[in-house]
Amino acid sequence: VLRAQGAALLPVELPELDYGAMRIVLISEAAAAFDELTRSGRDDELTAQGPGDWPNTFRTARFIPAVEYLRAQRARTLLMREMEKLMSQWDVFVSPAPGSASLLVTNLTGHPAVVLPCGFVNNLPVAIMFTGGVYDEVSPLRVALAFERATKWHTMHPKMDWAT
């Protein structure tokens, strides 16, 4: 579909850095956004309370050492520089969403991205993500619009017969 719309599709490699180590930046930012909820104890009212659920992520983020947070921020800066080098060669890059490191990367670097439905696998929806350069929201949105106009995925929904 993208080729038919005039896109030149070539493989792209994301910078090879330890994205997992940078997750503490995003975890800390999320915990700070919900700090009042956590400190008031109202996070106990949220339904999911397992080890990997948001309330426990907010709670444990309070124990991230400052040194590790700063090291992750330095790595984030390197990632931002590497992504700018990569994006200087492309208008937009395309990736699965979720299913690749691109979602984590864009959350860390601030690159604008838009996600659209693009099909079904085993009756479950799958998505495609278009990412542009920093401050260039227009390019991924243009590609997303062209993709949406050329397909009908945005009008289709999975069967929910199991929900009755």
Side-chain angles (χ1 to χ4, degrees):
V1 168
L2 294 170
R3 280 192 181 98
Q5 297 298 313
L9 299 176
L10 299 168
V12 172
E13 293 287 329
L14 291 174
E16 289 191 32
L17 295 169
D18 186 2
Y19 304 126
M22 290 179 250
R23 280 183 178 274
I24 65 169
V25 172
L26 299 176
I27 290 168
S28 298
E29 289 174 357
F34 290 94
D35 185 52
E36 183 181 334
L37 183 75
T38 302
R39 289 190 303 121
S40 70
R42 290 180 317 177
D43 56 354
D44 292 337
E45 297 172 23
L46 299 174
T47 55
Q49 294 289 331
D53 293 322
W54 280 115
N56 284 316
T57 300
F58 301 153
R59 293 176 193 120
T60 57
R62 303 181 78 72
F63 299 101
I64 293 173
V67 171
E68 296 307 317
Y69 178 81
L70 291 173
R71 289 173 53 92
Q73 284 287 24
R74 290 176 184 147
R76 182 186 202 181
T77 300
L78 294 174
L79 175 61
M80 292 168 85
R81 288 180 187 151
E82 291 299 313
M83 279 300 293
E84 274 310 295
K85 283 185 206 172
L86 173 73
M87 292 308 297
S88 70
Q89 302 170 49
W90 310 102
D91 296 321
V92 172
F93 79 82
V94 181
S95 60
S100 72
S102 59
L103 186 58
L104 177 59
V105 168
T106 58
N107 279 321
L108 286 164
T109 64
H111 285 79
V114 59
V115 176
L116 297 173
C118 68
F120 294 89
V121 173
N122 297 325
N123 198 36
L124 296 173
V126 291
I128 190 169
M129 185 164 112
F130 303 106
T131 301
V134 173
Y135 306 117
D136 181 16
E137 292 85 3
V138 173
S139 294
L141 289 173
R142 275 192 188 133
V143 174
L145 180 60
F147 181 82
E148 191 172 80
R149 286 181 174 167
T151 67
K152 294 186 182 198
W153 296 118
H154 61 286
T155 66
M156 302 169 75
H157 306 282
K159 293 178 183 171
M160 300 289 288
D161 52 0
W162 55 266
T164 57

